[in-house]
Amino acid sequence: MQMLDILPHLNFTSISEAINLIRPQHIEAIKNKDLKSTTTVRIFLNSGRSLEGYILDTDGNSSHSLTLIEGDAAMDDVSVSLVNISDIESFEFTQMSKVYQLFAGDKLYEGLGEPPTKLNLKKEHEAVINKFKEGPFSGVAVDINIEDFLKADAQKAGWSVIEIFKSLTSFLEHKDIDEDFVSAFKEKVDTITIVNSEQQKLALSGEKFEISIDTSKGIQGAPKPNNIYDYLYGAL
């Protein structure tokens, strides 16, 4: 899926709703020091001034103002702006590819066409296995029971499986992976297992790295490459 194919099927209603959708993700990213997992927003005010950063509403219940934090990825130092929502003229997501799922209702899945079949998913699974065989993580198995996923909503489950396959492929190309990371990974992990679950979760137990997907959320139920890398970096 390319962003240009996805955008016509996203649901944008108002600036205040966009703020309410992006804010929890920003708060979680700030709390987990994982700003790479989301995007900044650029806010254009009626005065002509613009601000860019991450939304953190200190009130939590306010529908009139928002707190915008600006800083580098390390957040060693930040500037804080209090913005009246009524003063906002327009709102921009600087990296839409990281947050489009927040605006993806059932309309998105209709726009994507027919959901992947069991055969499609098995072919994609084989492609991921081959990617691991070809790279530095050769010897690590990637297991998934596709039939178990398709017992649920076949449409959302199918797209969530496609999404986790994409995340794993992108994970292999993560810019921060080095020889030490690869060595630690292969020392502790011999199998990556993808399971259908009621919540999204990553867990390292014994020699198994388990990725749980919440298929009820469709594409949103699959963790992103940065989530996978950051979890493993802390767990290995």
Side-chain angles (χ1 to χ4, degrees):
M1 295 176 289
Q2 301 296 318
M3 282 306 303
L4 289 178
D5 298 322
I6 291 171
L7 287 175
H9 306 291
L10 301 184
N11 185 29
F12 302 101
T13 55
S14 67
I15 288 175
S16 59
E17 183 175 346
I19 290 170
N20 288 331
L21 286 172
I22 193 72
R23 181 174 58 201
Q25 189 181 92
H26 277 186
I27 291 172
E28 183 178 3
I30 292 169
K31 185 187 301 181
N32 296 333
K33 298 180 179 178
D34 183 25
L35 299 181
K36 292 183 293 184
S37 66
T38 187
T39 178
T40 58
V41 295
R42 188 174 293 122
I43 296 173
F44 299 89
L45 304 178
N46 296 329
S47 64
R49 184 186 177 198
S50 66
L51 300 166
E52 182 177 340
Y54 302 90
I55 297 173
L56 178 67
D57 187 347
T58 53
D59 183 336
N61 298 310
S62 172
S63 59
H64 305 294
S65 64
L66 63 86
T67 305
L68 190 76
I69 295 178
E70 299 176 78
D72 59 19
M75 282 294 191
D76 293 327
D77 193 14
V78 299
S79 64
V80 179
S81 301
L82 186 64
V83 181
N84 288 323
I85 292 178
S86 61
D87 291 335
I88 298 175
E89 186 172 90
S90 63
F91 196 80
E92 177 184 328
F93 299 98
T94 57
Q95 289 181 286
M96 192 63 198
S97 62
K98 292 188 175 182
V99 295
Y100 74 89
Q101 300 96 329
L102 298 175
F103 305 90
D106 291 337
K107 187 179 177 184
L108 170 65
Y109 299 102
E110 294 170 9
L112 294 175
E114 290 297 318
T117 65
K118 183 192 297 186
L119 181 59
N120 295 146
L121 295 175
K122 287 184 175 181
K123 287 181 177 179
E124 293 295 330
H125 181 208
E126 189 64 31
V128 173
I129 290 173
N130 289 334
K131 283 285 186 182
F132 271 80
K133 286 180 179 178
E134 295 165 3
F137 296 101
S138 59
V140 176
V142 181
D143 290 343
I144 182 173
N145 184 339
I146 290 173
E147 287 79 5
D148 183 55
F149 276 86
L150 296 181
K151 289 177 184 176
D153 183 325
Q155 186 180 58
K156 288 186 176 181
W159 288 119
S160 67
V161 171
I162 291 291
E163 191 70 10
I164 190 57
F165 288 161
K166 289 183 176 181
S167 289
L168 284 172
T169 300
S170 296
F171 160 73
L172 292 174
E173 301 167 355
H174 197 285
K175 64 182 179 61
D176 292 328
I177 289 179
D178 56 19
E179 290 183 5
D180 290 338
F181 182 93
V182 172
S183 178
F185 183 92
K186 295 183 72 172
E187 183 179 332
K188 291 204 174 176
V189 179
D190 63 13
T191 304
I192 297 172
T193 304
I194 305 167
V195 298
N196 189 0
S197 178
E198 295 181 354
Q199 63 178 358
Q200 183 185 127
K201 184 180 178 183
L202 302 173
L204 185 59
S205 178
E207 296 180 331
K208 182 170 72 173
F209 174 43
E210 187 171 274
I211 301 175
S212 300
I213 299 177
D214 180 359
T215 54
S216 68
K217 295 182 179 178
I219 292 173
Q220 292 174 278
K224 301 303 171 193
N226 282 337
N227 300 139
I228 295 171
Y229 172 82
D230 290 341
Y231 172 82
L232 288 170
Y233 184 84
L236 292 174

